[in-house]
Amino acid sequence: MVPSVEITSLSHQFSGQTVLNEVSLSIQPGEAVAIVGRNGAGKTTLVKHMNGLLHPHKGRILTCGLDTVGVSVAVLAQTVGFVFQNPDDQIFCRSVEQEIAWGPKHLGFPSAKIKKNVENAIAATGLNNMEKVNPLDLSLAKKKMLCLASVLAMDTGLLVLDEPTMGQDLAGKQRITSILDELKHQGKTVVAVTHDMDFCADIFERILVLEKGRLILDGTCEQLFNNPDFQTRGGILPPQVWQLGQKLGLAPTPWTAAQLLERLHTNTPAAPANRVEKRKTP
Amino acid sequence: MAFVDIENLSYTYPLGDAPALDAVDLRIEPGEFTVIMGCDGAGRSTLCRVVAGLIPRVFGGELTGRVTIGKGPDRVRPGFVFDNPFNQFSGAKFTVAEELAFGMENLGIDRQTMETRIEEVMALVEIKGIEDRDPSTLSGGQAQRVALASILVMEPELLVLDEPASQLDPVGAREILKLIKKVNLRGVTIVMAVQTMAHLTNLADTIVVLDQGKVVDTGSPRSVLTSRAMGDYGVEVPRVTTIARQARTMGLFHGDTLPISLDGVEKGFSNGSLG
C-alpha cells in the first residue's frame, strides 16, 4: 500500500536558519497522527510540505506517492486537504456556501456531488443557517470551522489540520472530536498539528514530537506522557486526567476521563455499576 | 470608585441583527484580575473591546448605557492584546524590534527609554533572538508573544487580553499566564477573555460568565467553576472538576467541595475509592 506521507531526510531553512533538520517518517493510510512541540519547533513548516506549499531544501517528500516537487499544489489538492492555522490565510470567498463549494468545484466534481458535499460539510461543522454569511463576519472559532468544512467537502483521503481546536469552545472541541472520529471510521488519514493535549489523548494513536526542527519522538501518548524529558523538550504538559491518574496511583495511568472513571470503578467493589463509555485503551 | 464601571450596557454591531451585549453590569476594582468566559458568540471579545475603548469608537455600532474606565476623573490608557496577533501587528514595520517600538513612538517616548523597555520586555516574554525577524513570518506562538510584548512596553494601567495564549504550546501558555499574573501583581488591572481555565484557577480573582451577551454569573473561580450551570452555558471547566462531579454520582468522590485544580485533589478521591 502506498503511504499517505513518506518523508526522507527532509530539511528546510528560513533566512539561513534551519527550521527542519533531517526529518524522516512514514504515515500509512488510515492513521491518525498528531504533531506536537514548542512554538517555532517546525510543526507548521513540516505540514506545509505535505501539500506542496513548501518544498524541501534537502531530502524528499512523497504525498500519496507523488513527489511534491514535481507536481503543482492544485494536483496535490486532489489527494490532500489542508486547513491553515490562521483561517484568514485560507478564506477568500464572499459567503460560507461559496467558500465550501470552491474546493470541490475546482476539483471538477459534478454539481450534484458538490451540492451534497457542501450540505454534508455544513451539517458536520454546525454552520447551518450561515450559508449566506460573509466569512469575514464570523468569529475565529466559526472561521476555523469553515476552513475544516471546506476541506471536508473536497473528500480527500488525507487531511492535514493545523491547530484545529484553536479558538473553539467546549461544544466546538466536541464537534471536531466527533468529526475526526468519523473520518477515522471512514479510513481517512488525519495529520494534525496541535497544542491541545486533551484532544491528542482523545483522538490520536500516534504522536510526533518536534524539537528545534528535529523529530525527537515518534510514538504513543503513553510514551510521551510517561517521559518527562520529551515533555520538557516538546513544551508539553500531560492532560489533567493523566496527572490526576498519577496522583491517585492508577496503573497503567489513564489519559481519558472514561478510562480514569472505569479504573476507579474497578478498584471500588462497592461502587454502583454505572456504565462508563470507553473511547480508547492505552 | 471602581476602575472599570459598566452599567446597563447594551451594544449592537453595525449590520448586527441582535445585541452582542445585553444589559451588562460590571465593576472591576483597581488591581483586580478578571477573567471573562462563555461559549463562542457569547460576547467575550465584544466586552473586551468595550473595556479597551475600541467600541464604539473603532467598531461603530449602537451603544447604550454607561461605561467609565479610570480612577475618578482621570481616564487611563488601556492596552489591548488581540486574539489573532497578525491582526494586531501594524503592518508598517519590518522587524520585531520596530514593531515593539511602534506604539511607544506614537506615544512620544524617547529613544533611550524605548530601547530599555524593549530589552526588558523581550527578556520577560522570552522572545530574545528574533529582534530582526519580519513579524509576518513568525510562528503563531511567537507572534502571540510579540503581540503581548508590544503592549507591555507601553506600560498600560489596564491590560485587556483576548485569548492571549490560544496559539501557545502548553508550557508556553502556562508561562505567559504566570507572566500576566506577575504584571497584575505590579498593580496592573487585568481583564482577559479565555475559553478554558485549566491553568488559570490560581491566577484570577473573579470570573464573569457571559451567555448570549448577558452576564449570567460572577464570582470567585471556585464558586463559578463548580456551578452546575456552567455546562448549560458551554463553559469549559477544568477536567478535574467534571471528573470529580461524575465520580461523586458514582460514589467514587467524597470531597466536601469539587476540586478546580490538582492541588490536594487525591484526598477527595482516596476515601472509599482506593483507600
Side-chain angles (χ1 to χ4, degrees):
Chain A
M1 195 180 286
V2 178
S4 296
V5 179
E6 183 79 55
I7 297 175
T8 314
S9 300
L10 187 153
S11 296
H12 194 95
Q13 296 185 330
F14 283 130
S15 309
Q17 191 179 349
T18 300
V19 286
L20 286 177
N21 197 346
E22 295 283 333
V23 173
S24 295
L25 60 97
S26 180
I27 298 172
Q28 300 306 313
E31 274 197 284
V33 180
I35 303 176
V36 303
R38 285 185 181 271
N39 294 125
K43 305 181 296 295
T44 296
T45 304
L46 178 62
V47 293
K48 279 186 174 174
H49 281 79
M50 294 180 185
N51 71 336
L53 286 174
L54 293 175
H55 288 158
H57 290 146
K58 195 178 155 219
R60 192 174 186 220
I61 173 165
L62 303 178
T63 298
C64 303
L66 296 171
D67 189 329
T68 62
V69 175
V71 292
S72 67
V73 174
V75 170
L76 286 166
Q78 295 168 17
T79 52
V80 50
F82 189 93
V83 173
F84 283 68
Q85 179 181 14
N86 183 355
D88 292 334
D89 289 342
Q90 181 170 340
I91 292 167
F92 60 93
C93 290
R94 289 186 181 178
S95 75
V96 164
E97 197 172 42
Q98 287 173 4
E99 185 71 40
I100 300 172
W102 198 92
K105 190 174 166 186
H106 286 81
L107 289 177
F109 290 2
S111 56
K113 188 175 180 187
I114 295 172
K115 187 168 179 289
K116 186 170 168 253
N117 285 12
V118 170
E119 284 171 0
N120 289 343
I122 285 174
T125 51
L127 293 171
N128 313 65
N129 303 322
M130 296 181 197
E131 291 88 343
K132 306 297 177 197
V133 173
N134 187 324
L136 294 179
D137 291 335
L138 297 175
S139 67
L140 174 66
K142 289 282 187 298
K143 282 181 185 173
K144 288 286 288 184
M145 212 56 102
L146 171 59
C147 292
L148 178 58
S150 305
V151 165
L152 291 176
M154 291 163 64
D155 196 21
T156 52
L158 167 62
L159 292 94
V160 179
L161 318 174
D162 198 350
E163 293 276 5
T165 58
M166 189 183 89
Q168 299 295 337
D169 60 14
L170 182 60
K173 285 180 188 174
Q174 287 169 344
R175 188 178 284 280
I176 288 172
T177 301
S178 146
I179 290 171
L180 294 200
D181 268 342
E182 175 59 24
L183 291 172
K184 284 166 66 178
H185 181 69
Q186 292 171 7
K188 308 253 188 190
T189 313
V190 179
V191 178
V193 171
T194 187
H195 291 307
D196 186 337
M197 289 301 121
D198 289 322
F199 175 62
C200 247
D202 280 347
I203 291 285
F204 298 96
E205 288 87 17
R206 185 174 165 198
I207 312 286
L208 308 176
V209 184
L210 286 177
E211 183 200 27
K212 295 176 183 169
R214 286 188 182 276
L215 182 63
I216 58 166
L217 174 69
D218 181 350
T220 62
C221 280
E222 197 165 22
Q223 286 173 302
L224 173 58
F225 300 150
N226 267 330
N227 190 316
D229 180 47
F230 288 138
Q231 290 167 34
T232 305
R233 293 165 68 190
I236 288 149
L237 294 173
Q240 211 168 35
V241 175
W242 176 272
Q243 295 179 54
L244 176 58
Q246 291 223 313
K247 276 186 171 251
L248 297 178
L250 299 175
T253 312
W255 65 67
T256 68
Q259 289 166 6
L260 187 140
L261 289 168
E262 182 144 312
R263 299 237 167 103
L264 277 178
H265 178 65
T266 308
N267 290 345
T268 312
N274 296 30
R275 186 177 175 275
V276 179
E277 192 186 341
K278 209 170 175 181
R279 289 179 57 83
K280 200 168 75 178
T281 306
Chain B
M1 184 180 178
F3 200 63
V4 175
D5 194 357
I6 294 174
E7 199 177 310
N8 199 27
L9 168 77
S10 293
Y11 173 73
T12 305
Y13 281 101
L15 307 178
D17 297 328
L21 294 174
D22 189 359
V24 168
D25 291 314
L26 178 65
R27 284 171 66 88
I28 298 173
E29 301 300 327
E32 199 175 344
F33 192 135
T34 302
V35 164
I36 303 170
M37 299 189 79
C39 66
D40 184 40
R44 292 170 299 125
S45 293
T46 307
L47 187 53
C48 282
R49 290 166 184 167
V50 168
V51 174
L54 296 173
I55 282 178
R57 261 184 258 174
V58 175
F59 286 84
E62 188 182 335
L63 184 145
T64 58
R66 191 170 61 82
V67 181
T68 310
I69 296 166
K71 296 169 185 164
D74 301 322
R75 281 190 61 81
V76 295
R77 186 181 293 114
F80 183 65
V81 180
F82 284 50
D83 60 343
N84 184 345
F86 294 103
N87 290 345
Q88 180 180 324
F89 292 155
S90 64
K93 299 295 181 182
F94 298 106
T95 70
V96 167
E98 288 174 358
E99 183 65 34
L100 295 185
F102 183 75
M104 291 189 287
E105 284 172 340
N106 284 284
L107 295 176
I109 292 168
D110 67 84
R111 187 183 181 90
Q112 178 63 44
T113 307
M114 284 200 286
E115 286 176 353
T116 307
R117 285 192 194 173
I118 288 173
E119 183 80 12
E120 282 173 7
V121 171
M122 286 193 83
L124 196 64
V125 301
E126 296 179 6
I127 49 172
K128 284 204 159 213
I130 61 168
E131 294 89 336
D132 297 327
R133 288 274 299 274
D134 179 343
S136 68
T137 66
L138 298 176
S139 74
Q142 288 168 326
Q144 212 152 27
R145 287 172 192 263
V146 171
L148 174 61
S150 67
I151 300 303
L152 288 179
V153 291
M154 292 190 283
E155 300 186 343
E157 287 179 86
L158 169 62
L159 182 58
V160 185
L161 308 109
D162 192 358
E163 293 283 352
S166 61
Q167 299 185 39
L168 298 177
D169 61 68
V171 170
R174 188 178 60 179
E175 287 165 359
I176 284 291
L177 294 171
K178 278 185 184 168
L179 163 69
I180 293 167
K181 183 63 185 176
K182 205 190 305 182
V183 172
N184 172 238
L185 291 173
R186 289 179 184 176
V188 177
T189 306
I190 307 285
V191 176
M192 180 161 73
V194 295
Q195 292 278 19
T196 174
M197 284 293 289
H199 305 303
L200 277 168
T201 48
N202 298 324
L203 303 183
D205 299 312
T206 306
I207 297 179
V208 175
V209 181
L210 291 172
D211 184 48
Q212 297 180 39
K214 291 179 186 291
V215 174
V216 290
D217 201 356
T218 306
S220 67
R222 176 167 298 283
S223 73
V224 169
L225 295 174
T226 57
S227 161
R228 194 173 280 276
M230 287 306 106
D232 299 337
Y233 304 132
V235 170
E236 185 175 357
V237 300
R239 284 212 175 183
V240 65
T241 309
T242 54
I243 289 171
R245 190 192 302 284
Q246 203 173 342
R248 178 181 271 171
T249 65
M250 298 167 72
L252 302 170
F253 179 79
H254 305 278
D256 294 332
T257 55
L258 292 173
I260 58 170
S261 74
L262 290 165
D263 296 340
V265 68
E266 59 273 23
K267 291 174 197 159
F269 283 98
S270 57
N271 297 338
S273 58
L274 298 177

